[in-house]
């Protein structure tokens, strides 16, 4: 039987970042705590669907970034990696967890 699994994940993070800004370039590094609310559903060949919402165990994420200044704005690239999550019987992930995130954008500097 073929089973199709779909998921929607919404990571929420709170942490601290240290940024060293130069005249043009900036470098940043940080660490934070993360929770991931999610929704999973499984659809079977017979047309049945099962699933529901869930919440991951808290985890620790490491972050780094690089930016280039244009006048009063900065273009940046940031990346984060999920280092560790607490054991949780419902999620089944513990120890080294993985999970890479990234962001590319710009921000105004005051």
């Amino acid at each position: 039987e073929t089973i199709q699994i779909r998921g929607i994940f919404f990571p929420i993070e709170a942490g601290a970042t240290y940024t060293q800004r130069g005249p043009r370039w900036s470098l940043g590094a940080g660490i934070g705590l993360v929770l991931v609310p999610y929704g999973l559903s499984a659809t079977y060949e017979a047309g049945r669907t099962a699933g529901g919402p869930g919440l991951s165990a808290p985890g620790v994420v490491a972050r780094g970034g690089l930016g280039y200044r244009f006048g009063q704005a900065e273009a940046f690239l940031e990346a984060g990696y999920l280092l560790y999550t607490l054991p949780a019987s419902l999620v089944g992930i513990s120890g080294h967890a993985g999970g890479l995130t990234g962001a590319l954008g710009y921000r105004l500097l005051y």
Side-chain angles (χ1 to χ4, degrees):
E1 180 174 18
T2 301
I3 302 171
Q4 184 177 19
I5 299 176
R6 292 180 187 222
I8 298 172
F9 301 89
F10 186 76
I12 300 170
E13 178 189 343
T17 301
Y18 174 76
T19 303
Q20 179 66 44
R21 294 196 191 285
R24 287 282 172 224
W25 291 95
S26 66
L27 292 172
I31 194 159
L33 296 175
V34 66
L35 286 173
V36 183
Y38 62 86
L40 290 176
S41 66
T43 305
Y44 302 88
E45 283 181 352
R48 291 186 344 232
T49 300
L55 181 66
S56 73
V60 177
V61 65
R63 260 196 198 290
L66 173 70
Y68 186 78
R69 187 174 182 161
F70 298 98
Q72 289 301 114
E74 180 181 66
F76 67 89
L77 173 65
E78 293 179 350
Y81 190 76
L82 184 60
L83 298 173
Y84 185 83
T85 60
L86 295 176
S89 60
L90 296 176
V91 178
I93 298 174
S94 63
H96 188 72
L100 182 65
T101 62
L104 176 64
Y106 71 94
R107 58 181 146 235
L108 296 176
L109 302 175
Y110 296 99

